[in-house]
Amino acid sequence: MRILVLIHEYPPIGGGGGHVAQDVARGLVKLGHEVCVLAPHMKNLPLQSVDEGVRLIRIPSFRRKAFVGDMLAMSGYLFIGFFVSLWLIFRFQPQIIHVHFAVPAGLLAWALSKLTGRPYVLTSHLGDVPGGVPEKTDRWFGWIYPFTPRIWQDAAAVTAISDFTRYLALSHYPVEVNVIHNGIEIERSHKENIKVNKPPQIVFAGRFVHQKNPVLIPQVLYALRELDWHCVMIGDGEFHTETMQEIALLGLQDRFTLPGWMSTDAVMKIMKDSDILLMPSLTEGIPLTGLQALANGLAIVSSRVGGMLDLVEDRVNGFLHVPYDVQGFIESMRSLLTDPVLLMNTRKASFEHSRKFDLSYVIQEYERILISALTEER
């Protein structure tokens, strides 16, 4: 197959959704397909390149920050992307379009499909569903929602990254939705290397935004300051300064490391040396950070939200709490930090659970959906 991929974020731009698109595109190339990705451009990035066999074309989109996709950037991607996509359909001759996020790129896929007859497969990542990430999207869904049903209904196939995303989508759009979880490469030999570090290392990785609730982490760990631990908080965003100020206010500067935004490989290196992933998020799909934690056998202490229910079996490979349950987070963290046997068993359970998200299986599922959608359109 020749596949045109549309997405408004692609590494190093964006978050987990971009990494998913990259993994899927690379995986499809390894299976023998031709893949071209249309992604946004930022300074210092080449306009055209080859990413492990994937043809990557970047277009100006007014993107100002790698980790923030505002309305201007999304509108720019749609406007410029429309004309470049038409050119690509003429030159690359894709048989099918794979679009990540119903909004904004889904609108572009829908328009191209109507004009050229190419079918498209839509992959939803939670933030593109009304109510998925309310603090980020509810305002613009207030006016854009009436225009979105056709994007979902006219897709040749629809996939969602988690059961929760599927459930939320079905409450708004009467379409068949297949769940294909986000995946990650699993290094099976890593199981033998799982150990409890001294001191145990806690990690958070993601955007420092309201959705991720990063300021809660120093508040939770302050209550455990008498215990031995170190915390690494990876990422950047609007709440980065506030989080640093909270750490300083609580006198925990020596217990925290904040390295800023890091590459996926660098994050994985820190994960390998960590014991516990702490994620007090308000909403989540299937976060890349959670998959990285499973692949490295980390215990996960998280909010009971969205796709985290797919990643964490409560009291088996971690603990789940309602958002803002500070005392609950404190007690779960205390249990793991004071009981090395419990921490080790929880870590091993996480690694076993990671088999469900093996990337090779995920890629095969996307290939199956794309081939099926293309065949049915003929």
Side-chain angles (χ1 to χ4, degrees):
M1 281 184 298
R2 289 186 304 278
I3 307 162
L4 174 61
V5 177
L6 304 176
I7 184 168
H8 71 289
E9 58 180 50
Y10 195 88
I13 297 174
H19 285 284
V20 172
Q22 183 181 59
D23 285 340
V24 173
R26 288 174 172 177
L28 289 170
V29 166
K30 290 177 181 176
L31 291 178
H33 304 288
E34 295 181 59
V35 180
C36 179
V37 175
L38 186 66
H41 180 263
M42 280 188 66
K43 60 181 180 180
N44 302 324
L45 293 176
L47 290 171
Q48 296 191 40
S49 60
V50 178
D51 173 32
E52 295 191 14
V54 177
R55 182 182 177 186
L56 179 58
I57 296 178
R58 295 189 181 273
I59 57 174
S61 66
F62 312 112
R63 187 97 182 199
R64 292 170 292 182
K65 295 182 179 179
F67 49 85
V68 178
D70 57 21
M71 187 65 71
L72 179 63
M74 292 183 184
S75 300
Y77 176 81
L78 286 177
F79 180 74
I80 299 174
F82 176 74
F83 297 101
V84 177
S85 295
L86 285 176
W87 174 79
L88 280 173
I89 287 176
F90 175 73
R91 293 294 300 271
F92 179 58
Q93 290 291 309
Q95 297 162 284
I96 194 166
I97 298 168
H98 186 191
V99 58
H100 293 265
F101 295 96
V103 179
L107 179 59
L108 181 55
W110 178 83
L112 291 171
S113 181
K114 292 299 180 186
L115 286 172
T116 69
R118 264 70 171 187
Y120 64 95
V121 170
L122 167 64
T123 293
S124 174
H125 293 262
L126 183 64
D128 53 343
V129 184
V133 189
E135 68 280 0
K136 289 173 62 176
T137 62
D138 268 12
R139 195 170 81 176
W140 50 268
F141 261 124
W143 63 268
I144 201 173
Y145 176 74
F147 304 98
T148 59
R150 296 310 315 177
I151 296 172
W152 292 76
Q153 293 167 17
D154 291 349
V158 178
T159 72
I161 63 166
S162 70
D163 293 321
F164 177 72
T165 304
R166 177 182 183 273
Y167 166 79
L168 203 59
L170 290 176
S171 68
H172 294 280
Y173 307 109
V175 298
E176 181 179 348
V177 181
N178 302 274
V179 175
I180 303 180
H181 293 112
N182 293 347
I184 193 166
E185 292 183 354
I186 308 298
E187 183 184 338
R188 289 296 153 205
S189 61
H190 181 69
K191 181 179 180 180
E192 308 304 320
N193 300 323
I194 293 177
K195 66 181 189 306
V196 173
N197 293 290
K198 295 184 180 179
Q201 181 158 285
I202 303 157
V203 65
F204 164 90
R207 304 178 189 184
F208 280 61
V209 294
H210 178 71
Q211 172 201 350
K212 300 291 185 179
N213 200 16
V215 181
L216 191 73
I217 291 176
Q219 295 171 356
V220 167
L221 294 180
Y222 177 74
L224 305 170
R225 61 192 181 281
E226 80 281 3
L227 302 179
D228 203 15
W229 53 263
H230 185 75
C231 182
V232 181
M233 296 187 69
I234 306 166
D236 204 350
E238 58 187 298
F239 278 67
H240 191 268
T241 299
E242 183 176 340
T243 302
M244 292 182 65
Q245 291 173 342
E246 187 71 11
I247 291 169
L249 181 65
L250 297 173
L252 298 175
Q253 298 96 317
D254 294 340
R255 311 289 296 274
F256 279 82
T257 300
L258 282 79
W261 196 261
M262 303 180 75
S263 68
T264 301
D265 289 343
V267 173
M268 283 293 281
K269 189 175 186 303
I270 290 177
M271 288 278 186
K272 287 181 184 295
D273 296 325
S274 299
D275 299 274
I276 304 168
L277 174 69
L278 180 53
M279 287 191 67
S281 306
L282 306 182
T283 57
E284 284 291 355
I286 293 280
L288 176 63
T289 299
L291 294 172
Q292 292 169 329
L294 288 182
N296 287 286
L298 271 63
I300 303 177
V301 180
S302 166
S303 298
R304 189 187 299 275
V305 294
M308 296 310 299
L309 278 72
D310 296 279
L311 298 180
V312 183
E313 187 176 351
D314 196 23
R315 300 184 181 277
V316 177
N317 72 312
F319 297 87
L320 293 169
H321 300 281
V322 297
Y324 293 117
D325 179 11
V326 176
Q327 194 57 41
F329 279 104
I330 291 171
E331 293 309 313
S332 292
M333 291 297 298
R334 185 183 300 279
S335 297
L336 292 170
L337 292 171
T338 57
D339 189 341
V341 174
L342 174 64
L343 180 52
M344 175 63 84
N345 290 339
T346 307
R347 291 197 59 184
K348 288 181 177 178
S350 262
F351 190 80
E352 288 302 316
H353 192 51
S354 71
R355 297 179 188 274
K356 179 180 178 181
F357 303 93
D358 195 307
L359 185 59
S360 61
Y361 170 76
V362 169
I363 300 301
Q364 291 170 11
E365 283 295 288
Y366 274 110
E367 180 188 45
R368 181 185 64 80
I369 290 287
L370 287 162
I371 291 175
S372 175
L374 183 58
T375 302
E376 289 178 7
E377 286 293 313
R378 288 175 174 170

